[in-house]
Amino acid sequence: EHAGGDGGEEKKEDHRIAWFEKRISAGIPKLKPAIAAKFLKSDEFIKSVERFCDGGRVLVVQEKLGGDLTASTTHATVLKKALMFYKVSDDSVTEANVQSIVCCQEVGPSCVDLMLHVTREVYAPLLTRKGTVHGLSEIVVKEMQESLNRLISGSQVVVGKMMGKTLLPLPPEDSYANLEKAAYSKESIHALESAVIIWTGQIKAILNAESETPLLRGENPGPDAELSFWNSKAQNLNMVRRQLVDTKISKVTKVLEKARSSYFPAFSR
């Protein structure tokens, strides 16, 4: 029986659902039409959108390994590719404000990698353009650049830890690319010395790591764990050594040497 017949009431179309459908269809264009149509009409999708709109913080729609789609209102592990919807305010999402308060971003298995790439390749160059910082004081611009540099450095460290390696975060390239200019720039020297402080902490952490740590936690590791620990430590130190003799870090040390920085002697030992 037709819902709009006698005694029935036709269900009003939810334009919020339609808005999400358009974004998902555009964001995952290679998806098979049959799979997309089935998912976008499913209770799983509709209820997930409603939960997100009525108070959720995030909505993640992603492809599963088998090719199907799944929706979640929690920070789910991304296996292939996902679209993450989030709000820019705490307001409930309505048909009137959905376009203004909901943002969509494509993410991959490693969100930190993506964030690092976007921050370094998009946001950092923007801060060097005159039009971007027009009207801002020099102090504000400097603080913004330093904050962004700290975010990039921290992200590089996290990416290394996720790989089980120690990655030495590089300072901004313009702080060491030109030897003569950088050696007489207080901002460049500050950026390079800040990087050296981070490297020193990372190297000390490797050297101070002890194989008996699991024992102190009440665990009972066998001989294989001991061998694995020393093998991992040796690989980590060798990787750090390769980075320290890399061309870019060599340029950093040359700038510090020319500037007669108190941090240079550590590299000459």
Side-chain angles (χ1 to χ4, degrees), residues 186-242:
K186 290 183 179 180
E187 288 77 13
S188 294
I189 298 303
H190 175 69
L192 301 185
E193 290 180 341
S194 297
V196 173
I197 292 173
I198 296 175
W199 300 344
T200 302
Q202 290 177 285
I203 294 170
K204 283 183 177 179
I206 300 174
L207 296 174
N208 292 336
E210 300 290 347
S211 61
E212 61 263 23
T213 300
L215 289 172
L216 298 176
R217 293 199 298 256
E219 301 175 13
N220 296 297
D224 288 345
E226 181 80 9
L227 292 172
S228 177
F229 169 83
W230 287 107
N231 182 53
S232 175
K233 187 168 185 175
Q235 289 182 358
N236 228 350
L237 288 171
N238 284 330
M239 184 173 187
V240 168
R241 181 184 176 279
R242 287 194 295 271

Side-chain angles (χ1 to χ4, degrees), residues 76-117:
T77 300
V78 178
L79 302 176
K80 291 175 63 179
K81 173 184 176 180
L83 295 178
M84 183 174 71
F85 297 89
Y86 56 94
K87 304 174 191 173
V88 296
S89 75
D90 293 327
D91 297 335
S92 295
V93 179
T94 65
E95 294 183 357
N97 68 14
V98 61
Q99 294 190 54
S100 60
I101 74 168
V102 178
C103 294
C104 177
Q105 181 175 340
E106 180 182 319
V107 297
S110 177
C111 295
V112 180
D113 272 334
L114 176 64
M115 182 184 72
L116 174 59
H117 178 75

Side-chain angles (χ1 to χ4, degrees), residues 3-235:
D6 293 337
E9 186 175 332
E10 187 174 353
K11 188 176 179 180
K12 183 182 177 182
E13 181 185 1
D14 189 338
H15 292 288
R16 299 177 305 174
I17 302 294
W19 185 88
F20 282 94
E21 288 179 358
K22 289 181 180 179
R23 298 305 178 282
I24 293 168
S25 298
I28 313 178
K30 294 183 179 180
L31 193 66
K32 293 181 179 179
I35 294 177
K38 179 182 177 182
F39 171 75
L40 295 174
K41 301 301 179 185
S42 68
D43 286 341
E44 176 195 359
F45 170 67
I46 294 173
K47 290 185 183 300
S48 294
V49 170
E50 290 175 345
R51 283 197 298 270
F52 169 73
C53 292
D54 296 337
R57 297 300 304 169
V58 66
L59 172 65
V60 180
V61 176
Q62 67 168 309
E63 291 181 87
K64 295 191 288 188
L65 294 178
D68 292 333
L69 289 177
T70 183
S72 173
T73 50
T74 59
H75 289 278
T77 300
V78 178
L79 302 176
K80 291 175 63 179
K81 173 184 176 180
L83 295 178
M84 183 174 71
F85 297 89
Y86 56 94
K87 304 174 191 173
V88 296
S89 75
D90 293 327
D91 297 335
S92 295
V93 179
T94 65
E95 294 183 357
N97 68 14
V98 61
Q99 294 190 54
S100 60
I101 74 168
V102 178
C103 294
C104 177
Q105 181 175 340
E106 180 182 319
V107 297
S110 177
C111 295
V112 180
D113 272 334
L114 176 64
M115 182 184 72
L116 174 59
H117 178 75
V118 172
T119 305
R120 187 165 49 192
E121 304 298 330
V122 178
Y123 295 127
L126 277 175
L127 276 181
T128 63
R129 295 182 182 177
K130 292 182 179 180
T132 307
V133 297
H134 179 70
L136 299 177
S137 69
E138 187 177 339
I139 295 175
V140 171
V141 174
K142 184 178 178 181
E143 288 181 353
M144 290 172 62
Q145 290 175 331
E146 289 181 351
S147 297
L148 195 63
N149 291 338
R150 284 195 296 271
L151 174 61
I152 293 173
S153 294
S155 299
Q156 287 177 303
V157 173
V158 171
V159 168
K161 288 183 177 180
M162 291 170 62
M163 298 165 58
K165 301 175 181 178
T166 298
L167 296 182
L168 305 179
L170 289 168
E173 191 170 356
D174 59 3
S175 65
Y176 62 85
N178 187 314
L179 175 61
E180 296 298 328
K181 181 181 177 181
Y184 298 101
S185 168
K186 290 183 179 180
E187 288 77 13
S188 294
I189 298 303
H190 175 69
L192 301 185
E193 290 180 341
S194 297
V196 173
I197 292 173
I198 296 175
W199 300 344
T200 302
Q202 290 177 285
I203 294 170
K204 283 183 177 179
I206 300 174
L207 296 174
N208 292 336
E210 300 290 347
S211 61
E212 61 263 23
T213 300
L215 289 172
L216 298 176
R217 293 199 298 256
E219 301 175 13
N220 296 297
D224 288 345
E226 181 80 9
L227 292 172
S228 177
F229 169 83
W230 287 107
N231 182 53
S232 175
K233 187 168 185 175
Q235 289 182 358

Side-chain angles (χ1 to χ4, degrees), residues 189 192-193 196 249-269:
I189 298 303
L192 301 185
E193 290 180 341
V196 173
I249 291 187
S250 294
K251 289 182 179 180
V252 171
T253 60
K254 287 179 181 178
V255 173
L256 294 176
E257 180 182 18
K258 189 171 184 63
R260 297 189 178 184
S261 168
S262 59
Y263 289 83
F264 171 70
F267 290 95
S268 59
R269 292 172 186 169

